[in-house]
Amino acid sequence: MKLSRRNMIVGFIAGAVLPALIPLLAKIPGAGRLKRFLRPPGAKSEKEFKSLCIGCAQCANVCPNNCIEMQGFEDGADNFLLPMIIARSKACILCMACTQVCPTDALTPMPATKEGMRAVAMGKAVLSPDLCYSYHGRTCGACYRSCPLPGEAMTIGLFEKPTIHEDKCVGCGLCEQSCIHMPQAIRIIPAHEIESKELRHGKA
Amino acid sequence: MSNRLRGWHLMFASVITRLCVLIIIILLASWSIYLNYKVGYNNARLVELADGKLVATFYRMSDWFFSCFGDPVAAMQSNGGMTWSIRLFGVQITDPIAATSVFLNNGQLAFGFFIGALIPLSLALLFGRVFCSYICPASLLFFTIGRLRRLLGRFFYFPELPMNRFFAWGVLCGGVVLALVTTHGIWALILPYFAVGQTIFHAITFGVMHVAVFSILFFIVVDFALGYQFTCRHICPTGRLLGVIGAKPLVSIRRDASACIDDCHSCEQVCTFMVSPKKDETRDCSLCGECMSVCPASCLSVGTKKAIDVSSSGIVVNTDVASEV
């Protein structure tokens, strides 16, 4: 085939347009957009995380708890193939294995110690006392017993009433997973949600 | 040993190595399941009670196999990933496209990640496009489709669309722009080998079908409808990049012009990458050895280019005739 300039340009443009059709896949109607998912521990700010994560799934591969899932198109093309954790179905056990294997440092390497756990910022737990059994005279305390930082991130009072200390909570989601009330009385607000809210209200 | 036999050996080796890569990807994905069971139960009997006999058998076999590598979590930390970004025995290997994409988006590269990209690049500089016929698991699929096309070509007509190299450059640029707008994960739908890796990983580890299946189906249709290894030649941006980086590799296919038959074009006709060893082309040659296996004069061999220049210095006339034909 002759390589005229016209052929070159036409070929180049045709090639460049072809990938642009892919985001249309996200327009296919289906499941709604999921907002409350956590990023694995050690994730940087959402924007930086997205610019670094290459979707190689090594974090999901190494996770011994199998809690890291890769996102699909249902969460939009801008979340495609990023790792996420749904705390209610399976929460992070803060073993930090995923942070050790990330090739691009989208997840900052962290040690699997108490100090490493305290440095994690996946989100903040929020309690709804209206739903909590302990606030209605039925002592439960399941969330406190699952907390990896008991006494720091969460303290417990009379009738096992939990209190969350927001500044110490790392947002691993174990309390949300273990809550025996349906729907859960304790939820994690993901770090990227807090981040975008702060941006909207001009706090950050 | 004749060069024809060497060609067959190369072809055989290329299929075997690609199969090995495929098996490694499957192993790494199933290793993940084994890790979950090991951490969760650590006992074949408990696994059997929880998930049945089949899974317990899988657990026993993996326990036997993976325990050779030591502590499961520690071993998983030095082995993992897929052809896009893989760690084998602690060595990080990165796709050049991944490095480019991250660099353009973020402006900086993690050191280990960057070093990992040098391995495939130096491989390309030394041997040319060997990634395509010795490592890429997707090209095994397209290789098979190429054989099927050739086999069925006796009965049916398969078109061969003329195309130029700039289409793949366009796909590369479009993909980079798309990765900037969305995420780097979008390459899983553009790069065939990444699509194969993600499909296998999702099927085994999560038990779900990944979107990349549709992209693989698209490539299969394109390969049947538009040309021999059309995806490898004209869509895959990695192939194009490695083809240019390895346009003049240290070790490549070389022709003994004195032995070459002027009217014979079997090497050009058989090459699925549309490279012509007859015209001493080396760009896009992936050393698959198919031309060597069909050459009736046994004049093609693999080696450094310089050696053949010395030996065929007196036969300049012959190459001129060949290029006119």
Side-chain angles (χ1 to χ4, degrees), chain A residues 40 53-64 68 70 81-83 97-104 107, chain B residues 28 32 35 73 75-88 90-95 98 113 194 198 201-202 205-206:
Chain A
C53 178
I54 52 167
C56 64
Q58 292 189 46
C59 49
N61 205 344
V62 79
C63 183
I68 300 181
M70 303 308 280
L81 218 55
L82 294 180
C98 52
T99 66
Q100 308 288 345
V101 301
C102 184
T104 56
L107 307 175
Chain B
L28 288 176
S32 181
L35 183 71
V73 179
M76 274 303 274
Q77 277 176 356
S78 51
N79 299 284
M82 49 193 75
T83 29
W84 177 238
S85 170
I86 196 166
R87 270 164 306 113
L88 290 174
V91 178
Q92 168 81 41
I93 302 170
T94 309
D95 190 280
F113 192 59
F194 192 21
Q198 283 293 356
F201 178 78
H202 273 77
T205 313
F206 301 133

Side-chain angles (χ1 to χ4, degrees), chain B residues 127-130 246 252-253 275 281-288:
Chain B
F127 301 106
R129 236 179 120 162
V130 279
S252 67
I253 206 94
V275 183
E281 286 178 3
T282 50
R283 188 212 296 246
D284 288 351
C285 173
S286 60
L287 294 184
C288 69

Side-chain angles (χ1 to χ4, degrees), chain A residues 93-140:
Chain A
I93 55 171
L94 297 175
C95 70
M96 308 296 180
C98 52
T99 66
Q100 308 288 345
V101 301
C102 184
T104 56
D105 282 354
L107 307 175
T108 322
M110 287 187 170
T113 56
K114 268 273 186 286
E115 287 309 310
M117 283 183 188
R118 289 190 186 106
V120 171
M122 295 162 75
K124 299 283 173 211
V126 173
L127 178 81
S128 340
D130 301 357
L131 298 172
C132 181
Y133 278 127
S134 295
Y135 278 83
H136 290 83
R138 297 167 187 162
T139 55
C140 161

Side-chain angles (χ1 to χ4, degrees), chain A residues 1-4 6-23 25 47-74 76-82 90 93 95-105, chain B residues 28-29 31-33 35-37 39-40 73 76-82 84-87 92 94 98 101-102 105-106 108 110-113 162-175 178-179 181-190 194 198 201-202 205-206 210-212 218 235:
Chain A
M1 175 172 187
K2 267 204 175 153
L3 254 185
S4 68
R6 192 174 163 276
N7 278 341
M8 274 156 57
I9 294 170
V10 167
F12 186 85
I13 291 174
V17 164
L18 192 72
L21 302 174
I22 290 171
L25 284 172
K47 194 170 170 252
E48 204 177 350
F49 180 73
K50 274 184 183 170
S51 76
L52 280 172
C53 178
I54 52 167
C56 64
Q58 292 189 46
C59 49
N61 205 344
V62 79
C63 183
N65 194 28
N66 212 0
C67 63
I68 300 181
E69 298 167 43
M70 303 308 280
Q71 285 180 302
F73 268 125
E74 65 272 14
D78 56 335
N79 277 326
F80 182 63
L81 218 55
L82 294 180
K90 217 171 222 182
I93 55 171
C95 70
M96 308 296 180
C98 52
T99 66
Q100 308 288 345
V101 301
C102 184
T104 56
D105 282 354
Chain B
L28 288 176
W31 204 336
S32 181
I33 310 178
L35 183 71
N36 298 145
Y37 280 115
V39 171
V73 179
M76 274 303 274
Q77 277 176 356
S78 51
N79 299 284
M82 49 193 75
W84 177 238
S85 170
I86 196 166
R87 270 164 306 113
Q92 168 81 41
T94 309
S101 186
V102 171
N105 199 339
N106 197 50
Q108 58 193 23
F111 183 70
F113 192 59
M163 195 74 141
N164 64 53
R165 298 191 301 277
F166 287 83
F167 186 78
W169 286 119
V171 173
L172 178 62
C173 290
L178 190 65
V181 175
T182 60
T183 64
H184 302 301
I186 219 83
W187 286 111
L189 301 169
I190 303 173
F194 192 21
Q198 283 293 356
F201 178 78
H202 273 77
T205 313
F206 301 133
H210 194 244
V211 200
F218 173 77
I235 293 181

Side-chain angles (χ1 to χ4, degrees), chain B:
Chain B
M1 190 165 60
S2 76
N3 281 331
R4 288 187 74 160
L5 195 62
R6 276 205 197 97
W8 281 110
H9 285 178
L10 279 179
M11 276 176 75
F12 188 67
S14 74
V15 172
I16 293 292
T17 51
R18 278 180 287 183
L19 272 178
C20 283
V21 170
L22 205 62
I23 289 168
I24 286 172
I25 292 174
I26 292 171
L27 271 184
L28 288 176
S30 53
W31 204 336
S32 181
I33 310 178
Y34 164 70
L35 183 71
N36 298 145
Y37 280 115
K38 186 77 181 168
V39 171
Y41 299 102
N42 197 14
N43 184 321
R45 176 72 188 138
L46 288 178
V47 173
E48 190 179 332
L49 287 172
D51 288 315
K53 265 212 170 104
L54 193 71
V55 180
T57 316
F58 161 78
Y59 177 83
R60 276 198 201 91
M61 281 167 64
S62 348
D63 212 16
W64 167 77
F65 182 76
F66 291 131
S67 59
C68 310
F69 297 89
D71 175 49
V73 179
M76 274 303 274
Q77 277 176 356
S78 51
N79 299 284
M82 49 193 75
T83 29
W84 177 238
S85 170
I86 196 166
R87 270 164 306 113
L88 290 174
F89 302 108
V91 178
Q92 168 81 41
I93 302 170
T94 309
D95 190 280
I97 301 261
T100 316
S101 186
V102 171
F103 180 71
L104 288 177
N105 199 339
N106 197 50
Q108 58 193 23
L109 276 178
F111 183 70
F113 192 59
F114 171 69
I115 292 295
L118 291 182
I119 296 168
L121 288 183
S122 52
L123 205 63
L125 281 174
L126 283 177
F127 301 106
R129 236 179 120 162
V130 279
F131 172 84
C132 300
S133 60
Y134 287 88
I135 298 167
C136 179
S139 90
L140 192 62
L141 180 72
F142 305 132
F143 175 83
T144 318
I145 292 171
R147 303 299 114 149
L148 269 177
R149 264 180 73 111
R150 196 169 285 168
L151 200 71
L152 297 174
R154 297 174 188 179
F155 314 109
F156 303 105
Y157 166 70
F158 285 107
E160 183 71 50
L161 187 76
M163 195 74 141
N164 64 53
R165 298 191 301 277
F166 287 83
F167 186 78
W169 286 119
V171 173
L172 178 62
C173 290
V176 165
V177 171
L178 190 65
L180 292 182
V181 175
T182 60
T183 64
H184 302 301
I186 219 83
W187 286 111
L189 301 169
I190 303 173
L191 300 175
Y193 55 93
F194 192 21
V196 168
Q198 283 293 356
T199 308
I200 291 172
F201 178 78
H202 273 77
I204 292 177
T205 313
F206 301 133
V208 297
M209 195 180 79
H210 194 244
V211 200
V213 169
F214 294 109
S215 129
I216 293 174
L217 286 178
F218 173 77
F219 293 141
I220 289 175
V221 169
V222 157
D223 254 45
F224 265 116
L226 299 183
Y228 281 113
Q229 301 221 327
F230 190 87
T231 315
C232 302
R233 286 189 294 133
H234 291 309
I235 293 181
C236 182
T238 308
R240 177 53 52 231
L241 198 66
L242 293 179
V244 166
I245 289 168
K248 292 215 185 305
L250 200 65
V251 174
S252 67
I253 206 94
R254 57 182 185 179
R255 187 176 62 108
D256 184 2
S258 59
C260 187
I261 305 164
D262 287 350
D263 292 336
C264 163
H265 295 276
S266 49
C267 54
E268 302 177 340
Q269 281 159 3
V270 84
C271 184
T272 47
F273 277 92
M274 304 294 162
V275 183
S276 169
K278 175 117 186 151
K279 291 174 194 147
D280 288 324
E281 286 178 3
T282 50
R283 188 212 296 246
D284 288 351
C285 173
S286 60
L287 294 184
C288 69
E290 194 164 10
C291 50
M292 288 165 70
S293 71
V294 294
C295 180
S298 229
C299 69
L300 295 169
S301 59
V302 168
T304 52
K305 207 75 183 167
K306 279 195 180 130
I308 202 80
D309 283 345
V310 174
S311 69
S312 66
S313 52
I315 325 152
V316 184
V317 186
N318 229 352
T319 47
D320 280 341
V321 172
S323 61
E324 273 167 31
V325 171

